[in-house]
Amino acid sequence: MHLHEYQAKQLFADYGVPVPQGRMVESIQDAAAAAKALGGGRWVVKAQVHAGGRGKGGGVKLVDSVEAVENTARALLGSKLRTRQTGSQGLPVHRLLIEDTVEITRELYLGMLVDRARERVMVMVSASGGMDIEEVAARDPRAIVTEAVHPAVGLQPYQCRNLAFAVGLAGDQIRAFTRLLTGLYRLFEQQDASLVEINPLVVTASAELLALDAKLELDDNALYRHPHTSDLRDPTQEDEKERSASEHGLNYITLDGDIACMVNGAGLAMATMDLIQLHGGEPANFLDVGGGATAERVAEAFKLILADAKVRAILVNIFGGIVRCDLIAEGIVQAVQEVGVDLPVVVRLEGTNREEGKALLAASGLNIITAEGFSDAAAKVVQASRGAGA
């Protein structure tokens, strides 16, 4: 689950990670009031969306008067911010973060993530803060220094010192960095985070460390342990189809192609998308209906697919293991009749009661194209999509 910057910074502060003074607002009037309450003569106005690159997209503005705060809030609130991470559709801006400005002498990068291959939390730092870390890694991998945290002992002081030395901190800054990093690791563990980024982590003119930005992602699978954090979810920042899929126990991700996929099993879904591309097509989605697919779940999956206007054909690729192919076939027939699918539907069934399932599809009288194998199914759906687009 993604959090907004202001939400992440609230958690940072709870764990002793220093952040600038700021206030979240949802109206022009509140933006002006926040600037006055913070005091001073300069403020940063930040659009709150679940995407990076906000500055380049016009979502972060430095202003010098309360009137400028109001004008910036008026321009941003209710708009859609487009960055390289949002795609062409952009994300709606409903909240702003008004913050104090700080005098910066250095910008660093600090991140934590789970390395599943090593079964460790990896802590990453770089002296090249304020830049896209992917660009830094591509240009000079040695510019990123890492420490692997053993889960039995946790983050150790010597690891904090190693990372501090790597980015050129000294004296009291090392102690401050150790406190900051220790608090951030406690947050990571206790809140079941999957990613934390501070970019930039700045050294101020008074030699203090401050988390100028904050990115925090929490593991959806652990939310049952943190019922209060569920309130932090912002559905306006999520793809509507992906949100609906989650509510029905489906795993769905929108893609850019025109061939919809409905598959049971994540690995099979990935292979299905690969094979569609091999035959010259482009998948419109990743859709895993799960091993316990039911007629109701299949019907909901078809509704999701049909909500995508660019879809021209549908490939249903099912391996009947836990669920028999004849039951899946019944669900497909019921769903097609209920939803009213007008697009070409190619079905490949394999596994338990395969022949019975194919017989049910053939007897349905519906315009369903059956396939004899994986490659045959991909070839047929690509051909069908081209015919539908003609």
Side-chain angles (χ1 to χ4, degrees):
M1 181 175 74
H2 301 285
L3 298 188
H4 285 298
E5 177 190 358
Y6 79 90
Q7 295 169 324
K9 284 182 172 176
Q10 288 170 355
L11 283 172
F12 279 13
D14 291 342
Y15 283 84
V17 178
V19 298
Q21 292 294 313
R23 296 193 177 188
M24 186 276 290
V25 300
E26 298 178 295
S27 70
I28 299 169
Q29 294 76 16
D30 288 345
K36 293 175 183 177
L38 289 169
R42 301 188 84 194
W43 303 271
V44 182
V45 182
K46 297 183 175 183
Q48 297 299 285
V49 296
H50 289 173
R54 290 174 298 162
K56 295 178 181 178
V60 178
K61 299 290 186 180
L62 182 65
V63 296
D64 296 318
S65 67
V66 173
E67 182 182 2
V69 171
E70 292 178 326
N71 291 336
T72 303
R74 185 176 293 107
L76 287 175
L77 287 172
S79 69
K80 282 199 172 183
L81 186 67
R82 294 170 179 83
T83 76
R84 59 182 177 79
Q85 293 186 9
T86 65
S88 59
Q89 297 299 314
L91 288 172
V93 180
H94 299 303
R95 300 179 179 91
L96 304 174
L97 178 61
I98 314 297
E99 278 191 337
D100 279 337
T101 58
V102 296
E103 191 173 345
I104 301 168
T105 59
R106 292 187 63 201
E107 295 187 352
L108 312 174
Y109 170 87
L110 171 60
M112 290 185 186
L113 53 80
V114 179
D115 185 332
R116 300 191 183 279
R118 298 180 64 177
E119 299 181 347
R120 298 286 189 273
V121 172
M122 300 297 296
V123 184
M124 305 176 294
V125 298
S126 175
S128 301
M131 300 175 59
D132 292 330
I133 198 63
E134 295 84 1
E135 294 178 9
V136 174
R139 186 180 66 252
D140 182 11
R142 293 174 299 178
I144 301 175
V145 180
T146 63
E147 285 280 349
V149 182
H150 195 288
V153 296
L155 183 66
Q156 296 295 295
Y158 80 88
Q159 294 179 304
C160 298
R161 290 193 294 271
N162 288 344
L163 295 169
F165 295 146
V167 293
L169 299 179
D172 290 341
Q173 291 176 348
I174 296 176
R175 287 184 283 274
F177 182 77
T178 299
R179 289 193 299 270
L180 182 154
L181 202 51
T182 302
L184 203 63
Y185 181 73
R186 284 193 298 110
L187 183 157
F188 196 96
E189 272 203 319
Q190 293 177 8
Q191 297 297 327
D192 288 302
S194 55
L195 173 69
V196 174
E197 278 190 334
I198 303 176
N199 190 25
L201 171 67
V202 301
V203 181
T204 68
S206 56
E208 296 175 327
L209 297 176
L210 206 60
L212 206 61
D213 197 7
K215 181 176 182 179
L216 180 58
E217 296 180 7
L218 306 179
D219 187 348
D220 286 346
N221 297 312
L223 287 181
Y224 71 94
R225 291 202 292 239
H226 310 281
H228 62 286
T229 59
S230 297
D231 297 334
L232 302 178
R233 185 184 294 275
D234 184 354
T236 68
Q237 299 294 302
E238 301 172 2
D239 183 281
E240 186 176 346
K241 294 188 289 295
E242 292 178 16
R243 185 173 70 250
S244 176
S246 178
E247 292 171 357
H248 292 93
L250 302 168
N251 294 309
Y252 180 93
I253 298 173
T254 301
L255 300 174
D256 295 328
D258 57 11
I259 298 176
C261 310
M262 185 191 306
V263 189
N264 65 334
L268 184 59
M270 296 294 289
T272 300
M273 293 190 295
D274 286 345
L275 207 57
I276 286 173
Q277 289 187 303
L278 182 65
H279 283 270
E282 289 292 334
N285 63 269
F286 170 99
L287 175 53
D288 174 14
V289 297
T294 62
E296 293 74 18
R297 187 174 290 184
V298 171
E300 290 299 330
F302 270 113
K303 291 176 185 177
L304 280 171
I305 286 170
L306 294 175
D308 189 342
K310 66 181 182 294
V311 171
R312 293 179 174 176
I314 302 169
L315 173 57
V316 181
N317 189 12
I318 299 293
F319 179 80
I322 298 173
V323 180
R324 303 194 319 257
C325 287
D326 56 330
L327 295 180
I328 291 293
E330 289 177 0
I332 293 170
V333 171
Q334 178 180 328
V336 170
Q337 291 173 334
E338 175 188 340
V339 178
V341 181
D342 296 325
L343 297 173
V345 179
V346 178
V347 178
R348 178 246 182 177
L349 297 175
E350 196 63 64
T352 308
N353 287 3
R354 169 180 177 268
E355 295 304 323
E356 290 86 342
K358 290 178 63 178
L360 285 169
L361 294 177
S364 69
L366 298 172
N367 183 23
I368 296 175
I369 306 166
T370 58
E372 292 302 320
F374 207 161
S375 184
D376 181 49
K380 283 181 175 177
V381 78
V382 170
Q383 183 180 5
S385 70
R386 291 169 179 168

